[in-house]
């Protein structure tokens, strides 16, 4: 751990707490994917505050271990479904995102040059950067679904019509969890007919 830097947790996180948040993270992912009905090749944006998970104010108690644990589980769950994961950085990097180069190229996102750190990007995005095969930073995405862990404000990176999702697991540690899926815009007027499968 990094010691002596304000806002970084210098202590080792107890293994039982890491296991607990790991289980909660997996439940959130399973419930989200069940309701969101995302397809292979789509993009999920996730914002995560390790400080909030530890019941501290966002940005005040970053934990490398917690960021790593949450990222590894979400990456695994996305991998099972063929979904790309975009890890949102904190506001110090203007909420830029880290995703695999393959995904950035697939969606036509222009890369930018930044390497997230615990206090400039956050522990979750740092874990993503250190774990991905070819991590790429981009300034914005238009994701097909989102998971917000700890009130990190992911809405700016969702497609225009976001629909709130109610899942049973509402917290990971001390952090609030809010999920959203997206749907196509309705167009037309009173005579228009809509595809119910896209709602």
């Amino acid at each position: 751990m990094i010691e002596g830097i304000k806002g970084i947790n210098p202590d080792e996180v107890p293994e039982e707490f890491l296991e607990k948040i790991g289980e909660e993270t997996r439940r959130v992912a399973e419930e989200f994917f069940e309701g969101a009905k995302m397809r292979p090749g789509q993009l999920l944006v996730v914002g995560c505050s390790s400080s909030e998970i530890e019941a501290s104010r966002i940005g005040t108690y970053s934990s490398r271990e917690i960021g790593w644990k949450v990222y590894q589980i979400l990456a695994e769950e996305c991998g099972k479904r063929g979904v790309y994961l975009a890890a949102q950085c904190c506001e110090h990097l203007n909420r830029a995102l880290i995703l695999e180069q393959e995904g950035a190229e697939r969606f036509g996102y222009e890369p930018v040059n930044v390497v997230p750190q615990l206090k400039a990007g956050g522990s979750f995005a740092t874990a993503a950067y250190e774990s991905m095969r070819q991590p790429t930073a981009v300034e914005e995405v238009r994701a097909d679904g989102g998971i917000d862990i700890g009130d990190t404000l992911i809405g700016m990176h969702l497609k225009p019509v976001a629909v709130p999702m109610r899942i049973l697991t509402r917290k990971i540690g001390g952090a609030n969890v809010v999920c959203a899926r997206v749907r196509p815009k309705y167009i037309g007027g009173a005579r228009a007919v809509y595809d119910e499968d896209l709602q």
Side-chain angles (χ1 to χ4, degrees):
M1 299 300 294
I2 300 173
E3 297 186 23
I5 299 178
K6 185 178 179 182
I8 292 179
N9 177 4
D11 302 317
E12 186 173 334
V13 179
E15 186 60 35
E16 57 270 24
F17 184 65
L18 286 174
E19 289 303 314
K20 175 179 178 288
I21 65 171
E23 292 168 5
E24 291 168 346
T25 301
R26 197 171 301 280
R27 282 202 304 272
V28 164
E30 290 170 350
E31 292 172 26
F32 168 81
F33 281 119
E34 182 178 346
K37 297 180 173 60
M38 290 183 69
R39 302 184 305 277
Q42 290 190 312
L43 180 65
L44 171 68
V45 61
V46 177
C48 174
S49 168
S50 61
S51 300
E52 292 281 336
I53 289 174
E54 291 193 274
S56 296
R57 187 168 55 84
I58 191 168
T60 63
Y61 208 56
S62 289
S63 166
R64 183 179 297 276
E65 294 163 291
I66 288 175
W68 185 268
K69 173 63 87 172
V70 174
Y71 172 77
Q72 292 298 324
I73 289 171
L74 290 177
E76 180 183 325
E77 294 297 324
C78 285
K80 288 179 187 176
R81 296 164 174 86
V83 170
Y84 291 99
L85 173 59
Q88 180 180 276
C89 299
C90 70
E91 74 273 15
H92 296 98
L93 297 186
N94 297 331
R95 295 193 174 90
L97 307 110
I98 307 301
L99 68 161
E100 287 283 5
Q101 179 180 321
E102 174 190 327
E105 291 175 351
R106 175 189 175 104
F107 298 112
Y109 298 139
E110 183 178 351
V112 293
N113 189 352
V114 72
V115 178
Q117 307 294 310
L118 285 185
K119 288 301 292 175
S123 63
F124 181 72
T126 299
Y129 195 90
E130 293 174 351
S131 301
M132 290 180 178
R133 295 183 303 276
Q134 293 181 295
T136 300
V138 300
E139 288 190 290
E140 59 184 2
V141 299
R142 286 290 172 260
D144 304 286
I147 300 175
D148 186 327
I149 304 166
D151 306 315
T152 62
L153 303 178
I154 60 167
M156 63 191 286
H157 295 304
L158 291 169
K159 287 180 178 175
V161 186
V163 180
M165 290 178 60
R166 301 287 182 256
I167 64 171
L168 295 176
T169 307
R170 305 300 296 272
K171 284 188 175 287
I172 295 176
N176 295 323
V177 175
V178 177
C179 299
R181 63 179 179 84
V182 301
R183 65 161 175 79
K185 298 176 182 179
Y186 294 141
I187 63 168
R191 291 178 293 177
V193 176
Y194 301 111
D195 184 342
E196 292 186 4
D197 290 336
L198 296 179
Q199 297 181 32

